[in-house]
Amino acid sequence: VVRPNQDLRAYTGLIASGAVRPGDAVRVVPSGVVSQVARLLAPEGDREAAIAGQAVMLTLTDEIDLSRGDVLCAASDPLEAADQFEATVIWMDEAALLPGRQYDLKLGTRTVSASVTDIRHKVNVNTLEALAARTLELNDIGRVTLRLASPVAADDYTESRRTGSFLLIDPQSGGTLAAGMVRALGAFDEAAREAETLSWSI
């Protein structure tokens, strides 16, 4: 949030996908509040549009509560906000991943407390076979279920790398423990699980 004086309240961020223009209706995720883009600002003056990959400063027609890690989306097609999802992770720490242990999950600019509730399987990197696992060791790749302390806005990684990838961080040391890809937001039915397990062994 940028507020140099009482006459200007603007928000800065990076456009992950698509484009934005003055007049666009936008929705804040995860809060769901809807507003409209009033202006796009640049050092040289107002801009007519901004596209994916560009940093932007914009103002809204309403003074709403926005904070670091919130996402502005097209009001008609917002990202899903979820406090649990399945993911593919590569474990990068000497100490093994343990279900139930608290980690920090960083997705975009948002960081929340998270834990692995289930390890569905790990992957044999030579055959891509799904193998039963109770933990993940250094350099293991596995499919896990994560539960978050609060919802985050995310895409499936196949839809967007920028909003579908995350890090797991040690909350004490700040060290990176794993890199992950969001794979199934809120999809936990048994048929989907079985289909995905079979796809690993093809």
Side-chain angles (χ1 to χ4, degrees), residues 25-69:
V26 292
R27 185 184 303 272
V28 182
V29 180
S31 73
V33 175
V34 175
S35 187
Q36 190 175 49
V37 177
R39 299 170 63 192
L40 294 177
L41 305 172
E44 64 275 14
D46 283 31
R47 301 171 63 173
E48 294 183 359
I51 60 173
Q54 293 182 329
V56 66
M57 181 164 67
L58 56 81
T59 65
L60 301 175
T61 55
D62 307 286
E63 190 167 309
I64 62 177
D65 185 21
L66 273 175
S67 59
R68 183 171 178 82

Side-chain angles (χ1 to χ4, degrees), residues 91-124:
W91 192 253
M92 302 186 295
D93 194 61
E94 294 284 352
L97 180 153
L98 296 176
R101 179 169 292 179
Q102 293 297 309
Y103 303 108
D104 285 342
L105 181 143
K106 181 176 174 60
L107 197 160
T109 57
R110 188 172 180 83
T111 301
V112 298
S113 180
S115 64
V116 174
T117 58
D118 179 48
I119 299 175
R120 288 187 52 199
H121 57 250
K122 67 179 180 179
V123 180
N124 182 319

Side-chain angles (χ1 to χ4, degrees), residues 126-200:
N126 296 312
T127 66
L128 298 185
E129 182 184 4
L131 305 173
R134 294 185 177 181
T135 187
L136 297 180
E137 306 285 345
L138 178 66
N139 294 328
D140 278 347
I141 298 173
R143 183 66 172 258
V144 304
T145 301
L146 287 156
R147 184 176 297 278
L148 283 54
S150 58
V152 298
D155 275 312
D156 189 289
Y157 185 78
T158 58
E159 299 293 328
S160 172
R161 293 183 179 185
R162 195 177 295 276
T163 52
S165 60
F166 63 90
L167 298 175
L168 288 180
I169 298 168
D170 187 313
Q172 276 74 49
S173 69
T176 298
L177 304 176
M181 298 174 286
V182 177
R183 290 302 193 186
L185 283 166
F188 298 102
D189 62 277
E190 291 304 316
R193 286 175 180 272
E194 182 65 19
E196 297 236 4
T197 300
L198 291 173
S199 72
W200 279 106

